[in-house]
Amino acid sequence: MSHEAVIVGGNRIPFAKAGGRYAEASNHDMLTAALDGLIARFGLSGQRVGEVAGGAVLKHARDFNLTREAVLSSALSPDTPACDLQQACGTSLEATVYIANKIRLGQIDSGIAAGVDSASDAPIAVSDPLRRILLKASAARSTKDRVAALARIRPSHLAPAAPSVREPRTGLSMGEHQALTTKSWGISREDQDALAAASHGNLAAAWDEGFFDDLVTPYQGVTKDALLRPDTSIEKLAALKAAFGGPDGTMTAGNSTALSDGAATVFLADAQWAKRHHLSALARVVDAEVAAVDHPSGADLLLAPVAAAGRLMARQGLSLDDFDLVEIHEAFASTVLATLAAWESEDYCRGVGLDGPIGTLDRKRLNVTGSSLAVGHPFAATGARIVPTLAKLLHRKGAGSRGLISVCAAGGLGVVAVLEAV
Amino acid sequence: MAALERVFYSPAGQSLAKRAGVPQAQQLRRGRTWPSGPIVLAPLGSPTLVRDALIALGREFHHPVIDTPGETPPGYGARIGAIVVDATDVSTLDALEGLRAVLRPALRSVEASGRVIIVARPADGDWEAHAVARSLDGINRTVGKELRKGATANLVYVDKSASSADVQSTLDFLLQGRSAFVDGQSWYVGTSGTGPQPTDPPLEGRVIVVTGAARGIGASISRILSRDGATIVAVDIPAAGESLAAVANEVGGTALHLDVTAADAGERIAAHVAQRGLRLYGIVHNAGITRDKMLVNTDADRWSSVLQVNLAAQLRINEVLLKKGTAGGLQDGGRIVGIASTSGLAGNKGQTNYAASKAGVAGLVAAMAPDLAERGITVNAVAPGFIETDMTARIPFVQREVFRRTNSLAQGGSPDDVAETIGYLLDPASAGVSGQVIRVCGQNLVGA
């Protein structure tokens, strides 16, 4: 018996700037809130769901079982199993694929994919020397030894070690990596600012239309994505100073995503099971692909989704024209623009093992309700934000409408997926 | 002001208030609880309606003590829980003496949160009979004011065509703690084509939409109806989504983010119900707002926003849900409940717009009820008085204390009191109750 995995819907909390409205909320709190909104929307209170898979990129050691603990705090049946899963910014898209695959294998009837991140509540660790001294002191057998061990603490040891967003192998931050890509692909400042302005404009229009009424549940008094600037413009964005790529850089705070807090969830189910339970499906998960690039050797860190998209489309026998809508995660405006340029580049595509260029995208089909530049980008939550949004958009266009999701991630990773409206 | 409130409600403040003669609020008996003392049945003449209903409800009852001429009036010797007077044969002024003779001993003995219930016929027959039917209302209202310690008096006019089965749910409600804050009221019980169809629990498996469900009275309604078995569709504006989700999850229902004033609100409610393969049994139009100002300061915006949310929205939603063949529309034998207000019935300074909308609700249910009787759909409203909610907590302390005490029970009602009354109207056994507005106000001095 074959099983089809469908997206029933989703729920997220509005995203907010790090250190902003959710400064006091933990990953656990936000994930629980996003789950509870989903549970309420679909009447899942007290129900056992097949599995909940989710994760966070910035994670405290105490959150070793974050998703399971959030399930226990939520209104779901405590009999609902859960697992933590992490793939940098690809986390909740990968979790969606994981749940969809289990459904397709007949292992579960329903499941929830989720992601959460708090850049406000990032884990702060003690420095390595301090850790070694404390270990020695706690192992000391006499008070004298203990005092002697502790006496070696120096003020410099007390500085907390904040989590780094640097690539471990290159020592470059993501922005610095993207600045290299921006330069080598010749992405202009104007194009980046235009893309950022479009993201804000599209998101603002979607909110005004009530598009998010059944996708978002307010949290802590925040009723709308707090990073959204409906009144921004290309002119306003043009006035910002460069943030990455040196004084001549083209990447600014306006065309790069801000550190954000938020959580998102996707409810997936077996198509037949959904029908039996009177849950209407928006779209089916057609296929997915993950790729990686060798960024330590100089490959563009955030262009791994290009290879993933090419391989996936080849496997499915699809071309770019077969997609009614495309969602490319806006890590930076220039990431999206470099991705589109790479899709058009015969050399680049052949270089990553594809048969030829992917093609030129009609921009009218891109990120039509805005993306990470305007919404914000709590790392692990972005995939689970995009999936229900795209599923709803495709469902509106009618059965058979197809959409592509492309998400870049740290470590030179890229996750892409294809959805088709039912 | 908050400091004054703290002092007033401190032990010292309360003991001072007691000595100063400020009435002390009695803790009311609430929920699905019966009077602790015996129920006395006093049939005037030889009617059997109430007796049969009490038997069907499985309640034991006792003979009344009758007042006799003499120095010391006779008594019960112990507290009684309730007296139910079957006055359905009373149609003459002389017969009212029988009512006095059973009420006098009973009023001495009725327990805290006890009940006086008078069951009578609606005005009919000759001039004297009409006068007598109205006299009963005067007696009921006065007894309500004379009773102490949370005891209540209520009057039910039962249509001649109604059977004892038709009055069961009403007696059940009035005797139980569910009617705690309903006092000095009277309403009509008739019969319906479908007849009462009691189930246990009363709302088991029935889908009920509650608008404005995210907090206050709406959240209470959701909880009480869910306790009685209902499947709740909790509706509130998108901005209230977080608390709406909490309510929906608590009662195991579903949340629908929806502004009831949206042009397609009715369609979206029906679609939500139909999509989940459900049939709609009832809707409680609880969503409401206030935009208080004296009429001289009320602009068109304040005027229309209140009328839109409180009245126009339910007109539009009802129209969609009642259209035959609407998937997810209201089923035959269904229920519609609106929320009026004592402010609407009596008028309230600074609330012209609100009073217009809430009095309109009363008018609406009266008009809809006969039109929908053929389909077995009942349409009723409750009119809350002073209820302790977040909204009334914002009224300045002294003013709030006055509002709260100017009723026969000397206290504010709880959101659950409103919810319980709505639950009674939604009960499949209440098929004969339609077109009524029941005040849940502790017999507030305001609002006829």
Short mmCIF file of all heavy atoms in Angstrom, two decimals, chain A residues 11 33 35-37 39-46 75 212-214 216-221 223 277-280, chain B residues 238-246 248-259 268 272 274-278:
data_model
loop_
_atom_site.label_atom_id
_atom_site.label_comp_id
_atom_site.label_asym_id
_atom_site.label_seq_id
_atom_site.Cartn_x
_atom_site.Cartn_y
_atom_site.Cartn_z
N ASN A 11 1.54 26.32 11.86
CA ASN A 11 1.37 27.43 12.79
C ASN A 11 2.73 27.91 13.26
O ASN A 11 3.62 27.11 13.49
CB ASN A 11 0.56 27.02 14.02
CG ASN A 11 0.34 28.20 14.94
OD1 ASN A 11 -0.30 29.18 14.55
ND2 ASN A 11 0.89 28.16 16.14
N ALA A 33 4.61 27.25 22.49
CA ALA A 33 3.55 28.17 22.04
C ALA A 33 3.16 27.88 20.59
O ALA A 33 1.98 27.86 20.24
CB ALA A 33 4.00 29.61 22.19
N LEU A 35 3.50 25.06 18.99
CA LEU A 35 2.79 23.77 18.98
C LEU A 35 1.34 23.96 19.46
O LEU A 35 0.40 23.45 18.84
CB LEU A 35 3.49 22.76 19.88
CG LEU A 35 4.76 22.10 19.32
CD1 LEU A 35 5.46 21.30 20.42
CD2 LEU A 35 4.42 21.18 18.15
N ASP A 36 1.17 24.71 20.55
CA ASP A 36 -0.18 24.87 21.10
C ASP A 36 -1.12 25.56 20.11
O ASP A 36 -2.30 25.23 20.04
CB ASP A 36 -0.13 25.63 22.43
CG ASP A 36 0.14 24.69 23.61
OD1 ASP A 36 -0.11 23.47 23.46
OD2 ASP A 36 0.61 25.16 24.66
N GLY A 37 -0.59 26.52 19.37
CA GLY A 37 -1.42 27.17 18.35
C GLY A 37 -1.83 26.20 17.26
O GLY A 37 -2.96 26.21 16.77
N ILE A 39 -2.06 22.90 17.60
CA ILE A 39 -2.97 21.93 18.23
C ILE A 39 -4.39 22.51 18.27
O ILE A 39 -5.36 21.83 17.96
CB ILE A 39 -2.46 21.62 19.66
CG1 ILE A 39 -1.12 20.88 19.59
CG2 ILE A 39 -3.49 20.81 20.44
CD1 ILE A 39 -0.31 20.95 20.88
N ALA A 40 -4.47 23.79 18.64
CA ALA A 40 -5.79 24.44 18.72
C ALA A 40 -6.42 24.55 17.34
O ALA A 40 -7.61 24.36 17.17
CB ALA A 40 -5.66 25.82 19.35
N ARG A 41 -5.61 24.86 16.34
CA ARG A 41 -6.15 25.06 14.99
C ARG A 41 -6.76 23.77 14.46
O ARG A 41 -7.79 23.78 13.79
CB ARG A 41 -5.05 25.56 14.06
CG ARG A 41 -5.52 25.87 12.66
CD ARG A 41 -4.56 26.77 11.93
NE ARG A 41 -4.49 28.06 12.60
CZ ARG A 41 -3.37 28.71 12.87
NH1 ARG A 41 -2.21 28.19 12.52
NH2 ARG A 41 -3.40 29.86 13.49
N PHE A 42 -6.13 22.65 14.77
CA PHE A 42 -6.59 21.38 14.20
C PHE A 42 -7.24 20.45 15.22
O PHE A 42 -7.49 19.29 14.93
CB PHE A 42 -5.43 20.69 13.47
CG PHE A 42 -4.97 21.51 12.29
CD1 PHE A 42 -3.81 22.25 12.34
CD2 PHE A 42 -5.76 21.58 11.16
CE1 PHE A 42 -3.41 23.04 11.27
CE2 PHE A 42 -5.37 22.36 10.08
CZ PHE A 42 -4.19 23.10 10.13
N GLY A 43 -7.53 20.95 16.41
CA GLY A 43 -8.25 20.15 17.40
C GLY A 43 -7.48 18.92 17.85
O GLY A 43 -8.04 17.85 18.02
N LEU A 44 -6.17 19.09 18.05
CA LEU A 44 -5.32 17.94 18.40
C LEU A 44 -5.12 17.81 19.91
O LEU A 44 -4.33 16.96 20.34
CB LEU A 44 -3.95 18.07 17.72
CG LEU A 44 -3.97 18.16 16.19
CD1 LEU A 44 -2.56 18.43 15.66
CD2 LEU A 44 -4.51 16.87 15.59
N SER A 45 -5.80 18.63 20.68
CA SER A 45 -5.60 18.60 22.13
C SER A 45 -5.86 17.20 22.69
O SER A 45 -6.89 16.60 22.41
CB SER A 45 -6.55 19.60 22.80
OG SER A 45 -6.43 19.53 24.19
N GLY A 46 -4.90 16.69 23.43
CA GLY A 46 -5.04 15.37 24.04
C GLY A 46 -4.81 14.22 23.07
O GLY A 46 -4.86 13.06 23.46
N ALA A 75 -0.34 20.85 24.64
CA ALA A 75 -1.62 20.18 24.88
C ALA A 75 -1.70 18.82 24.18
O ALA A 75 -2.71 18.13 24.28
CB ALA A 75 -2.76 21.08 24.42
N PHE A 212 -2.17 35.46 6.92
CA PHE A 212 -1.54 34.70 8.00
C PHE A 212 -2.51 34.33 9.13
O PHE A 212 -2.10 33.76 10.14
CB PHE A 212 -0.33 35.46 8.55
CG PHE A 212 0.79 35.56 7.55
CD1 PHE A 212 1.11 36.76 6.97
CD2 PHE A 212 1.50 34.42 7.19
CE1 PHE A 212 2.14 36.85 6.03
CE2 PHE A 212 2.53 34.49 6.25
CZ PHE A 212 2.85 35.71 5.68
N ASP A 213 -3.81 34.68 8.97
CA ASP A 213 -4.77 34.42 10.05
C ASP A 213 -4.81 32.94 10.44
O ASP A 213 -5.05 32.61 11.60
CB ASP A 213 -6.19 34.85 9.63
CG ASP A 213 -6.36 36.36 9.73
OD1 ASP A 213 -5.39 37.04 10.14
OD2 ASP A 213 -7.45 36.85 9.41
N ASP A 214 -4.60 32.04 9.47
CA ASP A 214 -4.62 30.63 9.83
C ASP A 214 -3.22 30.01 9.72
O ASP A 214 -3.07 28.79 9.57
CB ASP A 214 -5.64 29.85 9.00
CG ASP A 214 -5.38 29.96 7.50
OD1 ASP A 214 -4.45 30.67 7.11
OD2 ASP A 214 -6.13 29.33 6.73
N VAL A 216 -0.51 31.84 11.67
CA VAL A 216 0.24 32.45 12.78
C VAL A 216 -0.68 32.59 13.98
O VAL A 216 -1.86 32.91 13.84
CB VAL A 216 0.78 33.84 12.38
CG1 VAL A 216 1.50 34.50 13.54
CG2 VAL A 216 1.72 33.73 11.17
N THR A 217 -0.17 32.34 15.17
CA THR A 217 -0.89 32.62 16.41
C THR A 217 -0.04 33.61 17.22
O THR A 217 1.14 33.35 17.44
CB THR A 217 -1.12 31.34 17.23
OG1 THR A 217 -1.85 30.41 16.44
CG2 THR A 217 -1.91 31.64 18.50
N PRO A 218 -0.62 34.72 17.62
CA PRO A 218 0.15 35.72 18.36
C PRO A 218 0.80 35.12 19.61
O PRO A 218 0.34 34.11 20.14
CB PRO A 218 -0.89 36.77 18.76
CG PRO A 218 -1.98 36.62 17.77
CD PRO A 218 -2.01 35.16 17.41
N TYR A 219 1.86 35.77 20.06
CA TYR A 219 2.58 35.28 21.24
C TYR A 219 3.06 36.48 22.04
O TYR A 219 3.61 37.42 21.46
CB TYR A 219 3.76 34.41 20.79
CG TYR A 219 4.60 33.84 21.91
CD1 TYR A 219 4.01 33.06 22.91
CD2 TYR A 219 5.96 34.07 21.98
CE1 TYR A 219 4.78 32.52 23.93
CE2 TYR A 219 6.74 33.52 23.00
CZ TYR A 219 6.14 32.75 23.98
OH TYR A 219 6.90 32.23 25.00
N GLN A 220 2.82 36.44 23.31
CA GLN A 220 3.26 37.50 24.24
C GLN A 220 2.88 38.89 23.73
O GLN A 220 3.68 39.82 23.79
CB GLN A 220 4.76 37.40 24.48
CG GLN A 220 5.13 36.11 25.17
CD GLN A 220 6.51 36.15 25.82
OE1 GLN A 220 7.28 37.07 25.60
NE2 GLN A 220 6.79 35.15 26.64
N GLY A 221 1.68 38.98 23.21
CA GLY A 221 1.19 40.28 22.77
C GLY A 221 1.71 40.73 21.41
O GLY A 221 1.33 41.78 20.91
N THR A 223 1.48 40.44 17.62
CA THR A 223 0.45 39.89 16.74
C THR A 223 0.92 39.81 15.28
O THR A 223 0.25 39.24 14.45
CB THR A 223 -0.83 40.74 16.80
OG1 THR A 223 -0.49 42.08 16.44
CG2 THR A 223 -1.42 40.73 18.20
N HIS A 277 -9.92 11.56 8.91
CA HIS A 277 -10.06 12.43 10.07
C HIS A 277 -10.58 13.82 9.71
O HIS A 277 -10.49 14.75 10.50
CB HIS A 277 -8.73 12.53 10.82
CG HIS A 277 -8.40 11.27 11.56
ND1 HIS A 277 -7.90 10.15 10.92
CD2 HIS A 277 -8.52 10.94 12.85
CE1 HIS A 277 -7.73 9.19 11.81
NE2 HIS A 277 -8.10 9.63 12.99
N HIS A 278 -11.11 13.94 8.52
CA HIS A 278 -11.71 15.20 8.08
C HIS A 278 -10.75 16.36 8.19
O HIS A 278 -11.11 17.45 8.64
CB HIS A 278 -12.98 15.49 8.87
CG HIS A 278 -14.01 14.41 8.74
ND1 HIS A 278 -14.71 14.19 7.58
CD2 HIS A 278 -14.44 13.48 9.62
CE1 HIS A 278 -15.52 13.18 7.75
NE2 HIS A 278 -15.38 12.72 8.97
N LEU A 279 -9.50 16.10 7.83
CA LEU A 279 -8.53 17.20 7.78
C LEU A 279 -8.23 17.43 6.31
O LEU A 279 -7.88 16.50 5.58
CB LEU A 279 -7.25 16.80 8.52
CG LEU A 279 -7.41 16.63 10.04
CD1 LEU A 279 -6.24 15.85 10.61
CD2 LEU A 279 -7.55 17.98 10.71
N SER A 280 -8.40 18.67 5.85
CA SER A 280 -8.18 18.88 4.42
C SER A 280 -6.71 19.18 4.17
O SER A 280 -6.06 19.87 4.95
CB SER A 280 -9.07 20.01 3.91
OG SER A 280 -8.78 21.18 4.61
N PRO B 238 -8.01 37.42 15.30
CA PRO B 238 -6.65 36.88 15.19
C PRO B 238 -5.72 37.37 16.32
O PRO B 238 -4.93 36.59 16.84
CB PRO B 238 -6.18 37.39 13.83
CG PRO B 238 -7.43 37.53 13.03
CD PRO B 238 -8.49 37.95 14.00
N ALA B 239 -5.85 38.63 16.72
CA ALA B 239 -4.93 39.17 17.73
C ALA B 239 -5.08 38.47 19.08
O ALA B 239 -4.18 38.49 19.90
CB ALA B 239 -5.16 40.67 17.89
N ALA B 240 -6.23 37.83 19.33
CA ALA B 240 -6.44 37.13 20.60
C ALA B 240 -6.05 35.67 20.51
O ALA B 240 -6.38 34.86 21.37
CB ALA B 240 -7.91 37.26 21.02
N GLY B 241 -5.32 35.33 19.43
CA GLY B 241 -5.04 33.94 19.13
C GLY B 241 -4.37 33.14 20.22
O GLY B 241 -4.66 31.95 20.41
N GLU B 242 -3.46 33.78 20.98
CA GLU B 242 -2.72 33.02 21.98
C GLU B 242 -3.66 32.51 23.08
O GLU B 242 -3.65 31.32 23.41
CB GLU B 242 -1.61 33.88 22.59
CG GLU B 242 -0.72 33.07 23.52
CD GLU B 242 0.42 33.90 24.11
OE1 GLU B 242 0.48 35.12 23.90
OE2 GLU B 242 1.26 33.30 24.81
N SER B 243 -4.50 33.39 23.62
CA SER B 243 -5.42 32.92 24.67
C SER B 243 -6.52 32.06 24.07
O SER B 243 -7.03 31.14 24.73
CB SER B 243 -5.98 34.07 25.49
OG SER B 243 -6.19 35.20 24.72
N LEU B 244 -6.88 32.31 22.82
CA LEU B 244 -7.88 31.47 22.17
C LEU B 244 -7.37 30.02 22.06
O LEU B 244 -8.10 29.07 22.32
CB LEU B 244 -8.21 32.01 20.77
CG LEU B 244 -9.33 31.28 20.04
CD1 LEU B 244 -10.69 31.57 20.71
CD2 LEU B 244 -9.40 31.66 18.57
N ALA B 245 -6.09 29.89 21.70
CA ALA B 245 -5.49 28.55 21.59
C ALA B 245 -5.53 27.85 22.94
O ALA B 245 -5.83 26.65 23.03
CB ALA B 245 -4.06 28.65 21.07
N ALA B 246 -5.23 28.60 23.99
CA ALA B 246 -5.23 28.00 25.33
C ALA B 246 -6.62 27.49 25.69
O ALA B 246 -6.78 26.38 26.22
CB ALA B 246 -4.74 29.01 26.36
N ALA B 248 -9.13 26.72 23.53
CA ALA B 248 -9.49 25.61 22.63
C ALA B 248 -8.81 24.32 23.07
O ALA B 248 -9.43 23.26 23.10
CB ALA B 248 -9.11 25.94 21.19
N ASN B 249 -7.54 24.41 23.44
CA ASN B 249 -6.82 23.21 23.85
C ASN B 249 -7.33 22.69 25.19
O ASN B 249 -7.41 21.49 25.41
CB ASN B 249 -5.32 23.48 23.92
CG ASN B 249 -4.70 23.63 22.54
OD1 ASN B 249 -5.29 23.18 21.55
ND2 ASN B 249 -3.56 24.26 22.46
N GLU B 250 -7.67 23.60 26.08
CA GLU B 250 -8.18 23.19 27.38
C GLU B 250 -9.48 22.39 27.23
O GLU B 250 -9.69 21.40 27.93
CB GLU B 250 -8.41 24.42 28.25
CG GLU B 250 -8.87 24.08 29.67
CD GLU B 250 -9.32 25.33 30.43
OE1 GLU B 250 -8.85 26.43 30.12
OE2 GLU B 250 -10.14 25.16 31.35
N VAL B 251 -10.34 22.82 26.32
CA VAL B 251 -11.64 22.14 26.19
C VAL B 251 -11.61 21.09 25.07
O VAL B 251 -12.64 20.49 24.75
CB VAL B 251 -12.79 23.15 25.94
CG1 VAL B 251 -12.84 24.17 27.06
CG2 VAL B 251 -12.64 23.85 24.59
N GLY B 252 -10.44 20.89 24.47
CA GLY B 252 -10.33 19.87 23.42
C GLY B 252 -11.11 20.22 22.17
O GLY B 252 -11.57 19.35 21.45
N GLY B 253 -11.23 21.52 21.91
CA GLY B 253 -11.96 21.96 20.71
C GLY B 253 -11.01 22.44 19.64
O GLY B 253 -9.84 22.08 19.63
N THR B 254 -11.53 23.27 18.73
CA THR B 254 -10.66 23.86 17.71
C THR B 254 -10.77 25.38 17.79
O THR B 254 -11.79 25.92 18.21
CB THR B 254 -11.04 23.41 16.29
OG1 THR B 254 -12.44 23.69 16.08
CG2 THR B 254 -10.80 21.94 16.09
N ALA B 255 -9.68 26.05 17.38
CA ALA B 255 -9.67 27.51 17.38
C ALA B 255 -9.85 28.01 15.96
O ALA B 255 -9.27 27.47 15.02
CB ALA B 255 -8.33 28.01 17.93
N LEU B 256 -10.65 29.03 15.80
CA LEU B 256 -10.83 29.67 14.49
C LEU B 256 -10.59 31.16 14.66
O LEU B 256 -11.35 31.85 15.35
CB LEU B 256 -12.25 29.39 13.96
CG LEU B 256 -12.64 30.08 12.65
CD1 LEU B 256 -11.73 29.70 11.50
CD2 LEU B 256 -14.09 29.77 12.30
N HIS B 257 -9.50 31.65 14.04
CA HIS B 257 -9.18 33.07 14.12
C HIS B 257 -10.07 33.80 13.13
O HIS B 257 -9.94 33.61 11.92
CB HIS B 257 -7.72 33.33 13.75
CG HIS B 257 -6.73 32.70 14.69
ND1 HIS B 257 -5.38 32.88 14.59
CD2 HIS B 257 -6.92 31.90 15.76
CE1 HIS B 257 -4.77 32.21 15.56
NE2 HIS B 257 -5.69 31.60 16.27
N LEU B 258 -10.96 34.61 13.63
CA LEU B 258 -11.94 35.22 12.75
C LEU B 258 -12.51 36.47 13.38
O LEU B 258 -12.90 36.47 14.55
CB LEU B 258 -13.07 34.20 12.52
CG LEU B 258 -14.30 34.65 11.76
CD1 LEU B 258 -13.99 34.76 10.28
CD2 LEU B 258 -15.44 33.66 11.96
N ASP B 259 -12.57 37.55 12.62
CA ASP B 259 -13.27 38.75 13.04
C ASP B 259 -14.73 38.56 12.63
O ASP B 259 -15.01 38.41 11.44
CB ASP B 259 -12.65 39.97 12.34
CG ASP B 259 -13.29 41.27 12.79
OD1 ASP B 259 -14.42 41.23 13.32
OD2 ASP B 259 -12.67 42.32 12.60
N ARG B 268 -17.08 31.28 6.66
CA ARG B 268 -15.86 30.68 7.21
C ARG B 268 -16.16 29.78 8.40
O ARG B 268 -15.51 28.76 8.60
CB ARG B 268 -14.84 31.77 7.56
CG ARG B 268 -14.16 32.29 6.29
CD ARG B 268 -13.29 33.49 6.54
NE ARG B 268 -12.20 33.20 7.46
CZ ARG B 268 -11.43 34.15 7.99
NH1 ARG B 268 -11.64 35.42 7.69
NH2 ARG B 268 -10.46 33.83 8.80
N HIS B 272 -15.36 25.82 8.32
CA HIS B 272 -14.56 25.21 9.39
C HIS B 272 -15.26 23.96 9.93
O HIS B 272 -14.64 22.92 10.14
CB HIS B 272 -14.35 26.23 10.51
CG HIS B 272 -13.51 25.75 11.66
ND1 HIS B 272 -12.16 25.99 11.73
CD2 HIS B 272 -13.82 25.03 12.76
CE1 HIS B 272 -11.67 25.45 12.84
NE2 HIS B 272 -12.66 24.86 13.49
N ALA B 274 -17.77 22.22 8.39
CA ALA B 274 -17.96 21.22 7.34
C ALA B 274 -16.65 20.49 7.03
O ALA B 274 -16.62 19.27 6.87
CB ALA B 274 -18.49 21.88 6.07
N GLN B 275 -15.56 21.27 6.96
CA GLN B 275 -14.25 20.71 6.65
C GLN B 275 -13.86 19.60 7.62
O GLN B 275 -13.19 18.65 7.25
CB GLN B 275 -13.23 21.84 6.75
CG GLN B 275 -12.12 21.79 5.74
CD GLN B 275 -11.30 23.07 5.84
OE1 GLN B 275 -10.74 23.38 6.88
NE2 GLN B 275 -11.24 23.82 4.76
N ARG B 276 -14.28 19.75 8.85
CA ARG B 276 -13.93 18.75 9.86
C ARG B 276 -14.99 17.66 9.98
O ARG B 276 -14.98 16.87 10.92
CB ARG B 276 -13.70 19.45 11.20
CG ARG B 276 -12.33 20.11 11.24
CD ARG B 276 -12.21 21.23 12.22
NE ARG B 276 -10.87 21.80 12.20
CZ ARG B 276 -10.42 22.65 11.28
NH1 ARG B 276 -11.21 23.02 10.29
NH2 ARG B 276 -9.20 23.11 11.32
N GLY B 277 -15.91 17.64 9.01
CA GLY B 277 -16.90 16.57 8.97
C GLY B 277 -17.90 16.65 10.10
O GLY B 277 -18.45 15.64 10.53
N LEU B 278 -18.14 17.85 10.60
CA LEU B 278 -19.03 18.00 11.75
C LEU B 278 -20.38 18.56 11.34
O LEU B 278 -20.53 19.10 10.24
CB LEU B 278 -18.38 18.93 12.79
CG LEU B 278 -16.98 18.54 13.27
CD1 LEU B 278 -16.37 19.66 14.10
CD2 LEU B 278 -17.04 17.25 14.07
#
